[in-house]
């Protein structure tokens, strides 16, 4: 037995060794357009870099006898220009110059612009005002006109064109970076750094810069193409590269004079500009998608409005399939996350049922799959990577996994509503809470403004918010945590739900407020006969509100039964351990045991009982096969081969 315990971690490590998440580069190649851009760009850059090594003619050697030779003529693959110079050689040398100038201008603009943005955003106040008005001043001139004016002052020439292009692009970076920095500079981790005695330079360099760097890279990658184009534009007008030096813009300008007699002279550099800018922009867009942290986790797709459901999902046929009086009847629900090549079985066959007016407590350690279960019920798990692979969710008589999108939308927030853990994250920060409750009502009921207002006040009174007339004008940040959670509950009650799913609604609250919110929810379900699925990790909370409990471990229910019976005499050792984690008033000498070990990773579940590795009662038969739910004592069911009897001590039995 101990051998298996040792063998399984090494296997787990082996599976960890293979890449779990596609690398940024793999994601980039996944994007076909970006991959195309990359290939083209690599070819162009490689040939430009290799120009000195290639057997090319001197790009500036004129040969008047051989002027305007067409492409594919003897010794000149792309022909010659009006002075008889080899086009291929000029093209590659010219591309070299254009790329170098465009890239240098971008880097200079990115550096100067980001520096201005960081300083303005972090310093704020007068520095910010001064710098940004200066930037505004630059932005008030048409872009290319400003570049022309700068070259006119500095004098024509490649280097001066580079400066001009860099300068006119500075505001672009400065504005972007300043905006992000302003938001970051007021965040708590920056305050913490300041309080720990770090100076402004170190804070900007070590706290803020790493956060804005991805944006700088993204902005840079999407602007390089434009800058090459602008440099070419200045050269085309004769203000950039000076003869005889070739760059793409000046070649285009020279070709213009013979555009009708020998169009290829302008076509060749024109095509090259097109290729370079197109490939850089495609690649830049791809890089932006990959670097966006929200897109890193999954495929490069937006989550759909509803969790994907496998077409031929299966569900267990149970004996009492004649629909009971349950509001919600979940059978064999399975939800997986597919990330790279690994499959996370977050919910692995869950059965639940709740009757009207009943409160079912769903309890388990963090990560046991409670939230994913709750969100799967109305298809709120993001897809990709989430996917419902099995089961049935009977709400009254409809299978929620099979109803149309329209029906599902009508149910969400209507007959089935949610209360989440952190109301500050779920409420909109910029609207008064009264308007947000009204919006929840009017999404489902055609009420006019005054009717909605009356209903809002009524709901706020129901959730015992004092002075609702004044409070409905308040913004979320002006309310205390307890009041905010009451607002979320009012929103959940707005359309007379038959089922409320409350996902750790009191975890963010202190104990007194928690008690008030629990009392409120309890009273409401008794008055209205609403069914409640109450999710928590705390047996203390469950004992106050739930009629029945379902204990969840590693994505499966391991024990269910009436709360009082389970609390008094749990059958599953895991339940016993969870109960033993709760302190009891007046019993200071009681041992509070943390549960040793950790839950198994859901992408690598062991065979048999998932709890066996942490269980003092585990025997050899616990480690193989599927362990089914069994009736233990009348009303308690548990997924355990060696359940506890009333009075059994957990550790003595090991
Ligand atoms: P809890 O019981 O604390 O509510 P959850 O239901 O949130 O736990 O999570 C269950 C498991 O599913 C965890 O192992 C978690 O890592 C995984 N999981 C949850 N959401 C996602 C997601 N969007 N992508 C990948 N894995 C997820
Ligand atoms: Mg959760």
């Amino acid at each position: 037995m101990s051998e298996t315990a040792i063998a399984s971690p090494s296997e787990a490590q082996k599976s960890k060794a293979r890449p779990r998440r596609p690398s940024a580069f793999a994601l980039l190649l996944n994007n076909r357009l970006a991959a195309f851009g990359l290939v083209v760009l690599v070819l162009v850059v490689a040939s430009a870099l290799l120009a000195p090594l290639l057997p090319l003619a001197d790009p500036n050697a004129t040969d008047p006898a051989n002027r305007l030779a067409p492409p594919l003529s003897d010794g000149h693959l792309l022909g010659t220009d009006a002075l008889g110079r080899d086009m291929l050689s000029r093209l590659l040398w010219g591309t070299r110059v254009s790329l170098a100038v465009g890239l240098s201008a971008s880097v200079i603009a990115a550096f100067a612009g980001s520096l201005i943005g960081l300083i303005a955003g972090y310093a704020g106040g007068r520095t910010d005002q001064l710098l940004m008005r200066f930037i505004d001043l630059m932005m008030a001139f048409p872009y290319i006109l400003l570049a022309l004016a700068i070259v006119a002052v500095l004098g024509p020439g490649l280097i001066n064109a580079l400066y001009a292009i860099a300068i006119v692009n500075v505001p672009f970076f400065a504005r972007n970076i300043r905006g992000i920095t302003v938001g970051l500079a007021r965040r708590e981790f920056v305050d913490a750094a300041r309080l720990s005695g770090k100076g402004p330079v170190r804070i900007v360099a070590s706290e803020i810069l790493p956060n804005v760097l991805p944006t700088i890279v993204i902005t840079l990658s999407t602007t390089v193409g434009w800058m090459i184009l602008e440099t070419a534009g200045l050269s085309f007008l004769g203000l950039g590269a000076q003869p005889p030096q070739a760059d793409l813009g000046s070649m285009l300008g020279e070709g213009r004079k013979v555009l009708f007699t020998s169009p290829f002279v302008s076509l060749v550099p024109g095509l090259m500009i097109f290729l370079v800018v197109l490939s850089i922009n495609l690649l830049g867009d791809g890089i932006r998608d990959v670097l966006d942290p929200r897109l890193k986790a999954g495929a490069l797709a937006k989550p759909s409005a509803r969790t994907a459901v496998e077409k031929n999902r299966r569900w267990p046929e149970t004996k009492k399939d004649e629909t009971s009086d349950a509001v919600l009847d979940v059978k064999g629900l399975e939800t997986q996350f597919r990330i790279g090549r690994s499959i996370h079985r977050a919910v692995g066959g869950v059965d639940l049922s709740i009757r009207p007016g009943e409160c079912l407590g769903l309890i388990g350690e963090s990560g046991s799959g409670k939230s994913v279960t709750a969100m799967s019920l109305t298809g709120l798990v993001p897809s990709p990577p989430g996917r419902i692979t099995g089961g049935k969710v009977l709400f009254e008589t409809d299978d929620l996994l099979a109803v149309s999108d329209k029906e599902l939308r009508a149910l969400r927030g209507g007959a089935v509503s949610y209360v989440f853990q952190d109301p500050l994250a779920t409420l909109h920060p910029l609207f008064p809470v009264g308007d947000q409750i009204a919006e929840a009502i009017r999404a489902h009921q055609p009420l006019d403004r005054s009717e909605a207002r009356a209903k809002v006040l009524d709901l706020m009174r129901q959730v015992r918010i004092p002075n609702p007339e004044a409070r409905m004008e308040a913004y979320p940040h002006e309310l205390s945590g307890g009041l905010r959670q009451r607002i979320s509950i009012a929103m959940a009650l707005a359309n007379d739900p038959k089922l409320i799913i409350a996902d750790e609604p009191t975890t963010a609250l202190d104990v007194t407020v928690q008690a008030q919110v629990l009392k409120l929810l309890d009273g409401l379900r008794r008055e209205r006969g609403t069914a409640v699925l109450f999710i928590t990790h705390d047996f203390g909370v469950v004992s106050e509100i739930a009629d029945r409990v379902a204990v969840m471990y590693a994505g499966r229910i391991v024990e269910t039964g009436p709360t009082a019976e389970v609390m008094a005499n749990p059958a599953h050792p895991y339940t016993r351990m969870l109960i033993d984690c709760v302190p009891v008033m007046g019993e200071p000498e009681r041992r509070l045991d943390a549960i040793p070990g950790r839950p198994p990773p859901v992408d690598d579940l062991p065979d048999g009982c998932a709890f066996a590795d942490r269980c003092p009662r585990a025997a050899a038969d616990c480690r193989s096969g599927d362990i089914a739910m069994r009736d233990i004592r009348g009303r308690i069911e548990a997924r355990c081969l060696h359940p506890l009897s009333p009075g059994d001590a957990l550790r003595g039995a090991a």
Side-chain angles (χ1 to χ4, degrees), residues 42-310:
V42 165
L43 286 179
V44 170
V45 170
S47 53
L49 283 180
L50 292 178
L53 304 179
L54 296 177
L56 292 170
D58 178 352
N60 298 329
T62 56
D63 180 8
N66 214 353
R67 50 196 300 275
L68 294 178
L72 301 181
S73 55
D74 196 22
H76 302 290
L77 197 60
L78 293 179
T80 58
D81 69 359
L83 295 177
R85 297 175 292 195
D86 181 53
M87 286 288 290
L88 178 64
S89 167
R90 282 182 77 72
L91 182 74
L92 294 188
W93 282 96
T95 307
R96 226 171 124 86
V97 173
S98 286
L99 283 175
V101 172
L103 269 175
S104 322
S106 312
V107 171
I108 295 174
F111 181 79
S114 307
L115 195 65
I116 294 178
L118 281 169
I119 294 174
Y122 183 74
R126 197 169 292 173
T127 317
D128 184 27
Q129 284 287 333
L130 213 68
L131 285 173
M132 282 303 116
R133 292 307 78 79
F134 172 68
I135 294 292
D136 287 347
L137 202 70
M138 287 176 72
M139 290 181 103
F141 291 99
Y143 203 62
I144 199 75
L145 213 60
L146 187 61
L148 287 175
I150 295 172
V151 182
V153 171
L154 298 178
L158 202 53
I159 294 295
N160 291 344
L162 187 156
Y163 290 146
I165 297 298
I167 291 172
V168 297
N169 278 291
V170 163
F172 191 61
F173 284 92
R175 277 251 159 236
N176 251 334
I177 300 307
R178 180 215 170 245
I180 304 170
T181 309
V182 166
L184 286 169
R186 276 119 194 104
R187 292 272 292 275
E188 286 77 0
F189 66 88
V190 176
D191 287 343
R194 206 174 290 140
L195 294 179
S196 76
K198 281 191 183 175
V201 176
R202 274 186 65 196
I203 293 180
V204 169
S206 67
E207 309 288 328
I208 295 184
L209 187 62
N211 282 294
V212 297
L213 210 54
T215 314
I216 298 178
V217 172
I218 290 166
T219 319
L220 191 63
S221 65
T222 44
T223 46
V224 171
W226 292 113
M227 301 221 200
I228 291 177
L229 212 54
E230 285 154 14
T231 322
L234 287 184
S235 290
F236 178 80
L237 296 175
L239 300 171
Q242 299 300 308
Q245 189 183 30
D247 86 338
L248 292 175
S250 61
M251 286 177 72
L252 204 60
E254 286 154 12
R256 187 180 50 146
K257 294 167 207 152
V258 289
L259 184 62
F260 293 104
T261 46
S262 307
F264 68 90
V265 180
S266 38
L267 214 57
V268 167
L271 266 176
M272 184 55 110
I273 293 177
F274 173 76
L275 274 183
V276 168
V277 176
L278 180 82
S279 61
I280 290 182
N281 284 350
L282 287 179
L283 185 65
D285 281 353
I287 290 177
R288 186 197 54 208
D289 288 353
V290 170
L291 282 186
D292 189 325
R294 282 160 300 177
L295 298 171
K296 255 189 198 165
L300 289 169
K302 234 171 47 182
S304 55
R306 177 177 188 174
T307 313
V309 177
E310 204 116 282

Side-chain angles (χ1 to χ4, degrees), residues 337 339 344-347 364-373 375 381-382 385-386 503-504 535 552 602:
F337 293 99
I339 298 169
H344 298 247
R345 294 187 169 75
V347 177
E365 274 169 291
S366 176
S368 53
K370 308 178 299 288
S371 298
V372 176
T373 305
M375 293 198 293
V381 178
D503 191 352
E504 312 228 21
I535 297 176
M552 195 158 187
V602 286

Side-chain angles (χ1 to χ4, degrees), residues 514-646:
Q514 169 172 319
Q516 291 168 6
V517 171
L518 286 181
K519 198 165 154 235
L520 176 72
L521 264 177
D522 197 44
L524 287 169
R525 74 158 165 122
R526 285 178 205 283
E527 280 165 35
R528 294 164 162 244
T530 315
V532 178
L533 176 61
F534 194 96
I535 297 176
T536 176
H537 60 262
D538 184 349
F539 249 110
V541 171
V542 148
S543 64
E544 282 181 49
I545 186 163
D547 306 305
R548 279 191 306 121
V549 288
V551 181
M552 195 158 187
Y553 187 75
R556 308 192 79 176
I557 306 288
V558 294
E559 175 159 9
T560 71
T563 310
E565 285 176 41
V566 172
M567 292 285 289
N569 292 308
H572 200 290
Y574 177 61
T575 316
R576 172 87 261 164
M577 288 178 158
L578 275 183
I579 294 172
D580 288 347
C581 291
V582 180
V584 178
M585 282 284 267
E587 289 184 26
E589 66 283 354
R590 205 170 82 105
R591 271 184 58 195
L592 289 184
D593 290 321
I595 305 181
R598 295 153 137 271
V602 286
D603 58 338
D604 191 17
L605 287 175
D607 202 19
C609 175
F611 188 60
D613 279 344
R614 305 166 77 187
C615 181
R617 296 172 70 90
D621 53 350
C622 294
R623 296 185 189 269
S624 60
D626 182 58
I627 295 165
M629 279 300 254
R630 306 189 299 157
D631 281 345
I632 304 289
R633 266 171 266 125
R635 301 203 286 166
I636 292 188
E637 281 181 55
R639 200 181 287 284
C640 183
L641 298 176
H642 308 282
L644 295 159
S645 311

Side-chain angles (χ1 to χ4, degrees), residues 360-599:
L360 174 71
L362 184 61
I363 184 167
E365 274 169 291
S366 176
S368 53
K370 308 178 299 288
S371 298
V372 176
T373 305
M375 293 198 293
S376 301
L377 300 181
T378 58
L380 293 180
V381 178
S383 273
R387 199 169 178 81
I388 295 176
T389 50
K392 229 177 181 179
V393 178
L394 288 175
F395 178 70
E396 301 187 310
T397 50
D398 299 325
D399 181 5
L400 294 190
L401 301 182
V403 297
S404 71
D405 285 2
K406 196 169 161 231
E407 287 170 285
L408 191 65
R409 215 166 352 173
L411 280 171
R412 288 178 181 162
V416 183
S417 61
Y418 282 84
V419 181
F420 290 104
Q421 177 174 349
D422 181 6
L424 201 54
T426 39
L427 292 172
H428 196 301
L430 301 183
F431 289 104
V433 291
D435 290 2
Q436 301 191 46
I437 304 178
E439 192 190 2
I441 302 171
R442 290 169 72 178
H444 293 269
Q445 303 172 37
L447 298 185
D448 65 31
R449 280 189 153 276
S450 64
E451 287 170 325
R453 188 187 147 86
K455 177 114 205 238
V456 169
L457 288 174
D458 179 42
L459 283 167
M460 290 175 80
R461 278 191 204 101
Q462 281 188 38
V463 295
R464 324 283 193 274
I465 293 180
N467 193 6
E469 284 84 357
R471 287 276 156 70
M472 67 186 290
E473 307 298 338
Y475 291 90
H477 71 270
E478 295 173 335
L479 300 177
S480 67
L483 278 181
R484 279 199 293 263
Q485 196 54 290
R486 280 161 202 247
I487 298 287
S488 324
I489 296 175
M491 288 170 78
L493 294 177
N495 302 297
D496 297 309
K498 297 194 172 120
L499 172 67
I500 297 181
I501 299 169
D503 191 352
E504 312 228 21
T506 59
T507 305
L509 307 177
D510 65 63
V511 189
T512 38
V513 182
Q514 169 172 319
Q516 291 168 6
V517 171
L518 286 181
K519 198 165 154 235
L520 176 72
L521 264 177
D522 197 44
L524 287 169
R525 74 158 165 122
R526 285 178 205 283
E527 280 165 35
R528 294 164 162 244
T530 315
V532 178
L533 176 61
F534 194 96
I535 297 176
T536 176
H537 60 262
D538 184 349
F539 249 110
V541 171
V542 148
S543 64
E544 282 181 49
I545 186 163
D547 306 305
R548 279 191 306 121
V549 288
V551 181
M552 195 158 187
Y553 187 75
R556 308 192 79 176
I557 306 288
V558 294
E559 175 159 9
T560 71
T563 310
E565 285 176 41
V566 172
M567 292 285 289
N569 292 308
H572 200 290
Y574 177 61
T575 316
R576 172 87 261 164
M577 288 178 158
L578 275 183
I579 294 172
D580 288 347
C581 291
V582 180
V584 178
M585 282 284 267
E587 289 184 26
E589 66 283 354
R590 205 170 82 105
R591 271 184 58 195
L592 289 184
D593 290 321
I595 305 181
R598 295 153 137 271

Side-chain angles (χ1 to χ4, degrees), residues 304-391:
S304 55
R306 177 177 188 174
T307 313
V309 177
E310 204 116 282
K311 270 214 192 74
N312 37 16
R313 79 200 138 98
R314 288 184 304 175
W315 52 84
E317 283 307 330
T318 42
K319 291 152 274 168
K320 37 184 186 194
D321 211 6
E322 84 279 2
T323 321
S324 56
D325 56 344
V327 192
L328 180 76
D329 199 1
V330 179
K331 291 195 171 96
L333 178 69
E334 286 176 26
T335 305
Q336 302 181 343
F337 293 99
R338 300 204 179 148
I339 298 169
R341 259 175 285 164
S342 59
I343 297 179
H344 298 247
R345 294 187 169 75
V347 177
V350 160
D351 304 298
L352 293 173
S353 83
I354 313 180
R355 286 190 305 277
E358 187 184 38
C359 177
L360 174 71
L362 184 61
I363 184 167
E365 274 169 291
S366 176
S368 53
K370 308 178 299 288
S371 298
V372 176
T373 305
M375 293 198 293
S376 301
L377 300 181
T378 58
L380 293 180
V381 178
S383 273
R387 199 169 178 81
I388 295 176
T389 50

